[in-house]
Amino acid sequence: MAYRLKASDPTLGDAVRRIALDQAERARAEADDPALAPAEAIHQIRKRCKKLRGLIRLVRPGFAAYGEENAAIRDLARRLSGLRDLEALIETHDRLMARDDAEAARFAPVRAALTARKQAAPERVDDATRAALDALAGRIAGWQIEGKPAKVIAGGLEKTWARAAAAHDDCRDAPTTEAMHEWRKRVKYHWYHCRILAPVWPGPVGARAAEAKRLSDILGDHHDLALYAAHLAGAEAPDLDPEAQIALGRITDRALSELERDAFALGARFFAETPRRAAKRLAALYAVWESEPRR
């Protein structure tokens, strides 16, 4: 697994550059892989971008180029968002039908409309995206991480997790689509951080990573379902009879409520510990690991 620290990394900066270059090179390969359908290539490249943004957030306090690189990677991913969003709506519809044992035929017009929109969307990685990936890969060798590694990591962990805690509180007050999506983004970055740091104590940190992923997945399903509900209420909604519209709305609302219940139950466990304390604990484990003889 390349997306993690290795004992063979001479320094934290070397680890960051190795992990980042691996993700960038994989994205470049996926952009031109004939074995991947265009939609899958786009999905994979967007995942690489998210992992890269998670990586640099971990070392943000010691990475002077953070703002510039974060914006560049964010903008690169945004170029690819449209097709993946349509794919997610179709996947959400299929999960919803299976989850509630609904009559798929009754809501077939919904899937047909989504499929038609997807088929009409451009399915390719354009030259500008390839150029942006090439430029990113070329810059990574010059990335520098300054400061004491454990302190840098503590600062990156705390900032990201404090934002996740604040987003959790916002959702408790008002679980809007925007608030839940913001919470999910912050939790996903923490999942990436735990994946990177897992070697410092694989059992406990790996378990935290697994639970962070579970929370991220729940929140991701919530976001996709909220977008699906908005689609049903929008101008491009499929033509359903009023009774079917009401029935599908009820199914969607019930699924959203269940996902919120599960997310808040798991979130309460995560945020029982303050972000500062969690960050200090993980950074201390890194310091112990860093002090061990390199292999």
Side-chain angles (χ1 to χ4, degrees):
M1 295 178 64
Y3 194 74
R4 62 192 307 167
L5 297 172
K6 289 184 177 180
S8 57
D9 294 320
T11 67
L12 179 60
D14 288 311
V16 169
R17 288 186 290 272
R18 172 184 57 79
I19 295 169
L21 186 58
D22 178 71
Q23 293 300 314
E25 293 290 3
R26 287 174 186 247
R28 293 168 81 188
E30 288 157 351
D32 295 309
D33 187 349
L36 288 179
E40 180 61 20
I42 286 171
H43 181 44
Q44 288 300 117
I45 295 168
R46 291 187 73 210
K47 285 169 62 176
R48 304 290 177 202
C49 289
K50 290 175 183 177
K51 291 169 81 171
L52 281 163
R53 293 182 72 193
L55 170 66
I56 62 176
R57 269 174 166 74
L58 179 61
V59 295
R60 180 175 183 171
F63 186 28
Y66 169 81
E68 178 182 345
E69 293 293 0
N70 183 57
I73 300 166
R74 177 200 63 208
D75 292 345
L76 194 163
R78 283 178 177 172
R79 297 178 58 87
L80 304 169
S81 62
L83 182 61
R84 178 54 198 164
D85 290 346
L86 290 173
E87 188 85 18
L89 288 175
I90 295 172
E91 292 171 0
T92 298
H93 176 82
D94 291 344
R95 283 199 304 270
L96 197 60
M97 296 299 97
R99 174 175 176 160
D100 286 84
D101 195 25
E103 297 178 12
R106 185 182 189 190
F107 304 114
V110 178
R111 199 181 198 286
L114 290 170
T115 302
R117 286 182 61 193
K118 176 177 176 291
Q119 291 173 341
E123 292 191 2
R124 65 189 183 91
V125 179
D126 60 24
D127 290 340
T129 299
R130 289 187 178 87
L133 287 169
D134 291 343
L136 172 62
R139 293 193 305 270
I140 288 171
W143 287 5
Q144 297 296 320
I145 309 302
E146 305 291 343
K148 293 182 178 180
K151 187 174 182 180
V152 167
I153 284 174
L157 284 167
E158 183 179 351
K159 190 174 188 70
T160 298
W161 201 228
R163 288 184 172 181
H168 167 260
D169 291 345
D170 289 343
C171 291
R172 280 290 191 186
D173 294 336
T176 64
T177 300
E178 295 77 12
M180 295 290 283
H181 183 48
E182 183 65 20
W183 185 23
R184 189 250 180 157
K185 289 191 297 183
R186 304 302 170 186
V187 168
K188 193 161 193 173
Y189 287 138
H190 187 67
W191 170 44
Y192 290 145
H193 291 174
C194 291
R195 288 180 62 183
I196 293 166
L197 294 171
V200 306
W201 199 1
V205 182
R208 187 178 180 92
E211 290 302 285
K213 181 183 186 302
R214 186 159 73 94
L215 179 54
S216 174
D217 288 346
I218 293 169
L219 293 170
D221 287 347
H222 184 280
H223 180 65
D224 290 344
L225 193 55
L227 293 183
Y228 177 84
H231 168 74
L232 295 178
E236 298 184 26
D239 186 18
L240 290 175
D241 65 78
E243 185 178 345
Q245 287 179 336
I246 292 171
L248 188 53
R250 286 174 177 167
I251 292 170
T252 303
D253 288 345
R254 183 166 65 250
L256 282 168
S257 296
E258 291 173 2
L259 289 168
E260 288 172 15
R261 179 200 64 203
D262 293 344
F264 287 130
L266 185 52
R269 289 169 171 78
F270 264 116
F271 299 105
E273 183 178 36
T274 66
R276 174 166 292 185
R277 183 173 178 179
K280 282 187 174 182
R281 180 165 48 80
L282 288 169
L285 292 173
Y286 170 83
V288 171
W289 177 83
E290 184 188 32
S291 69
E292 295 171 345
R294 300 291 91 184
R295 293 177 289 280

